[in-house]
Amino acid sequence: MDADTADPQQRRAAEWFTALRDRICRAFETVEAEHTGPLSDRAPGVFQRRTWDRPGGGGGEMALMHGRVFEKVGVNVSTVHGTFSPEFRGQIAGTEDSGDFWASGISLVAHMQSPHVPAVHMNTRMIATRRRWFGGGADLTPMRPDDDDTRHFHGALKAACDRHDPGYYPHFKAWCDDYFFLKHRDEPRGVGGIFFDTLDTGDWEADFAFVRDVGKSFLDAYLPVLKRHRDRPWTEEDRQFQLRRRGRYVEFNLLYDRGTTFGLKTGGNPDAILMSLPPMVSWP
Amino acid sequence: MDADTADPQQRRAAEWFTALRDRICRAFETVEAEHTGPLSDRAPGVFQRRTWDRPGGGGGEMALMHGRVFEKVGVNVSTVHGTFSPEFRGQIAGTEDSGDFWASGISLVAHMQSPHVPAVHMNTRMIATRRRWFGGGADLTPMRPDDDDTRHFHGALKAACDRHDPGYYPHFKAWCDDYFFLKHRDEPRGVGGIFFDTLDTGDWEADFAFVRDVGKSFLDAYLPVLKRHRDRPWTEEDRQFQLRRRGRYVEFNLLYDRGTTFGLKTGGNPDAILMSLPPMVSWP
């Protein structure tokens, strides 16, 4: 981890992603500890952390929990730096004259025991080449969409967006719908949320404040949805449906997700990158 | 299905792929019917067939069986034709002047109940643009490699190759090892077999005879391996290991397999293309 980098913006961003990781892991462990619904005869989950070094420079820390509410949740932070290989030069903003890059971020995917509780994804990151910008978002993947959940989840993210720019939510919601779409099946991955990339308004402090707000709003967006459904029993049929829907998640991540395919092609840590994949999946 | 096409080579190829499908399905159903090992208290599997039409022209037939030996096996035949969109023109041999294409083939993937019995894949196809050629191969994916199985499987394919050209086996074996490789994990998908593409020696009859021989040799290569292990009991630990290894199969097919990604991007039938994915998989 290079949180001790000399650049103050980079240092502050990396520290924030780590602090957000700690906050989210604590909240999720509390959900595990307090659980009284289905599977509460099992021991509550606790995050296991593992650091890794990136051969090219930097590294990260994976936090992985297998629990009784969270069947599998990974929360990864990483801060890496290096030089893009010639094939990636020019494909990324600010690399026309130099392939040097620095990137720091947090990435979270939760797959739940209960088929009634949506899976969720959140990611925010800062990239620095000759330019610097933020990217990220959060989106919800219920097995069967529920209007109240969708409304609540979007509402919390919209509130975070609106505190910074009234144009953000409509723009980033549409971007999310466009991005998390399985073209080969002509269906969305879930019910969306927000997605943004290359965010650089020229005011780094304002952009960083927005990214922090997205991170802080994530728990407000997700926990009430989780709590609405966690105590509801499910059937074996619900479970089989969940396992099939998870197949779509895998298809999206391996066929389309830029972070996944880019990471795997640039020598990223496959265990960290593929921590997003569901613990159990079926293609019957 | 366009087996009644006016071109005699195309008609003969399409008819062969369908006849091979029938032969393999019969052999696999016999394995199901005769089974006396683990899970033999269950009903033997029988193939269910479903035809589909390709909006652009042609179609296919999926044959899918869920059995007590074969947890999931798909055997698809298809004969399609159309015109490549401009983005694919020129990427494929013989499409420089015209995007017209015709393709017919058989594709098989079997995922087994027993973690001791390897998964297997076989595919042969004929493509016609302004040029025409064959492609295909067969490869074995054990959960834990076994030298005797590997030797037998390769031996049967080598015998088929050697009947046509002594250079085929070393060439097509190396091609297979190169193709079925997970770069992001630096590991092979299985223990290989043969893989070939753009086979056009100038003697279509000889090439077609070779492709038929590969298809006929497939059962000789695989059934003895299956029979060696099918009666051996397995533990829950073996099963969990199998489910994890199947994750690698999914990663390969969705990240690297050209047939899969090409098919999905060109409006192929996702259910037929993704029939290759395992019935149950874990990424713990």
Side-chain angles (χ1 to χ4, degrees):
Chain A
M1 301 295 291
D2 289 353
D4 58 348
T5 175
D7 181 283
Q9 291 180 348
Q10 293 177 0
R11 182 177 45 72
R12 288 171 60 201
E15 285 175 356
W16 161 251
F17 296 132
T18 303
L20 179 62
R21 186 270 316 264
D22 292 341
R23 178 194 298 221
I24 291 172
C25 287
R26 268 196 308 274
F28 284 1
E29 286 182 342
T30 301
V31 168
E32 281 290 320
E34 289 173 346
H35 187 56
T36 57
L39 307 184
S40 57
D41 53 321
R42 300 189 186 177
V46 175
F47 276 99
Q48 305 295 323
R49 293 188 180 185
R50 200 163 89 230
T51 58
W52 53 273
D53 292 318
R54 182 173 170 280
E61 188 166 22
M62 299 184 265
L64 181 63
M65 179 166 75
H66 293 100
R68 54 193 187 177
V69 180
F70 293 85
E71 188 175 338
K72 177 184 176 185
V73 50
V75 190
N76 292 330
V77 287
S78 65
T79 301
V80 303
H81 57 86
T83 306
F84 284 123
S85 64
E87 63 172 307
F88 287 107
R89 287 272 293 273
Q91 286 188 39
I92 290 147
T95 59
E96 297 78 6
D97 298 327
S98 159
D100 292 350
F101 74 94
W102 175 96
S104 182
I106 178 172
S107 175
L108 173 160
V109 176
H111 297 285
M112 312 307 288
Q113 294 279 8
S114 170
H116 303 311
V117 179
V120 73
H121 162 247
M122 188 277 293
N123 161 243
T124 51
R125 59 190 173 274
M126 173 181 163
I127 316 285
T129 58
R130 289 290 164 96
R131 293 182 53 191
R132 47 185 60 197
W133 68 89
F134 291 97
D139 63 285
L140 194 70
T141 307
M143 307 306 120
R144 292 186 168 88
D146 172 301
D147 287 345
D148 290 335
D149 290 347
T150 304
R151 204 174 301 119
H152 172 81
F153 188 82
H154 278 268
L157 294 172
K158 180 176 187 301
C161 288
D162 287 352
R163 285 192 285 273
H164 298 269
D165 187 319
Y168 278 177
Y169 175 73
H171 181 190
F172 298 160
K173 176 193 185 300
W175 201 341
C176 187
D177 289 341
D178 190 55
Y179 183 79
F180 291 105
F181 191 80
L182 285 82
K183 289 178 207 73
H184 64 290
R185 294 196 183 269
D186 195 26
E187 67 182 42
R189 185 174 82 171
V191 296
I194 59 170
F195 182 94
F196 59 98
D197 202 359
T198 59
L199 179 73
D200 173 17
T201 62
D203 180 347
W204 186 87
E205 287 295 344
D207 296 344
F208 184 42
F210 168 66
V211 164
R212 289 199 308 274
D213 223 353
V214 169
K216 283 182 278 190
S217 301
F218 166 72
L219 290 173
D220 300 332
Y222 185 60
L223 288 184
V225 170
L226 182 162
K227 290 177 181 176
R228 275 188 70 211
H229 301 289
R230 63 180 163 183
D231 292 335
R232 213 167 115 211
W234 60 87
T235 66
E236 179 56 26
E237 207 177 329
D238 294 328
R239 173 68 174 171
Q240 292 304 322
F241 184 74
Q242 178 191 44
L243 298 185
R244 290 200 300 278
R245 292 305 307 170
R246 285 178 176 174
R248 304 293 207 263
Y249 210 92
V250 175
E251 291 173 24
F252 180 85
N253 282 25
L254 297 182
L255 287 169
Y256 300 113
D257 187 58
R258 286 197 296 257
T260 301
T261 54
F262 180 82
L264 293 176
K265 281 178 189 166
T266 51
N269 181 327
D271 289 328
I273 296 166
L274 298 176
M275 193 177 279
S276 63
L277 298 180
M280 194 67 81
V281 186
S282 88
W283 283 273
Chain B
M1 302 293 292
D2 288 353
D4 59 347
T5 174
D7 181 281
Q9 290 180 348
Q10 293 177 359
R11 182 178 45 72
R12 287 171 60 202
E15 285 175 357
W16 162 250
F17 296 132
T18 303
L20 179 61
R21 186 269 315 267
D22 292 341
R23 179 194 297 221
I24 291 172
C25 288
R26 268 197 308 275
F28 284 1
E29 287 182 341
T30 300
V31 168
E32 282 289 321
E34 290 174 347
H35 186 55
T36 57
L39 308 182
S40 58
D41 54 320
R42 301 188 185 177
V46 175
F47 276 98
Q48 304 295 323
R49 294 188 180 185
R50 200 163 89 231
T51 57
W52 53 272
D53 292 319
R54 183 173 169 280
E61 188 167 20
M62 299 183 265
L64 180 64
M65 178 167 75
H66 292 100
R68 52 192 188 178
V69 180
F70 293 86
E71 188 175 338
K72 176 184 176 186
V73 51
V75 190
N76 293 330
V77 289
S78 65
T79 300
V80 302
H81 57 86
T83 307
F84 283 123
S85 64
E87 63 172 307
F88 287 107
R89 287 272 293 274
Q91 286 186 38
I92 290 147
T95 59
E96 297 79 6
D97 298 326
S98 160
D100 292 350
F101 75 93
W102 175 95
S104 181
I106 178 172
S107 175
L108 172 160
V109 175
H111 297 284
M112 311 306 288
Q113 293 280 8
S114 170
H116 303 310
V117 179
V120 73
H121 161 247
M122 188 276 293
N123 161 243
T124 51
R125 60 191 172 273
M126 175 183 162
I127 316 286
T129 58
R130 290 289 164 97
R131 295 181 52 192
R132 47 185 59 198
W133 67 90
F134 292 97
D139 64 284
L140 194 70
T141 308
M143 306 306 121
R144 292 185 169 88
D146 172 301
D147 287 345
D148 289 336
D149 290 348
T150 304
R151 202 175 302 120
H152 173 81
F153 188 82
H154 278 267
L157 295 173
K158 179 175 187 301
C161 288
D162 287 353
R163 285 193 283 273
H164 299 268
D165 188 320
Y168 278 176
Y169 175 73
H171 181 191
F172 298 160
K173 176 193 186 299
W175 201 341
C176 187
D177 289 340
D178 189 55
Y179 183 79
F180 292 105
F181 192 80
L182 286 81
K183 290 177 206 73
H184 64 290
R185 295 194 181 270
D186 195 27
E187 67 181 46
R189 184 174 84 171
V191 298
I194 60 170
F195 181 95
F196 59 98
D197 202 1
T198 59
L199 179 74
D200 173 18
T201 62
D203 180 348
W204 186 87
E205 288 295 343
D207 296 344
F208 183 43
F210 168 66
V211 163
R212 289 199 308 275
D213 223 351
V214 169
K216 283 183 278 191
S217 302
F218 166 72
L219 290 173
D220 300 332
Y222 185 61
L223 288 183
V225 170
L226 183 162
K227 290 176 179 176
R228 275 189 69 212
H229 302 288
R230 64 180 165 183
D231 292 335
R232 214 169 114 210
W234 60 86
T235 65
E236 178 57 25
E237 208 178 328
D238 294 328
R239 173 68 174 172
Q240 292 305 321
F241 184 74
Q242 179 191 43
L243 298 185
R244 290 199 301 278
R245 292 304 308 169
R246 285 177 175 174
R248 304 294 207 263
Y249 210 92
V250 175
E251 291 173 24
F252 180 85
N253 282 26
L254 297 182
L255 288 169
Y256 301 113
D257 186 58
R258 286 197 296 257
T260 302
T261 54
F262 181 82
L264 294 176
K265 281 177 189 166
T266 52
N269 182 327
D271 290 327
I273 296 166
L274 298 176
M275 193 177 280
S276 63
L277 298 180
M280 193 68 79
V281 186
S282 89
W283 283 272

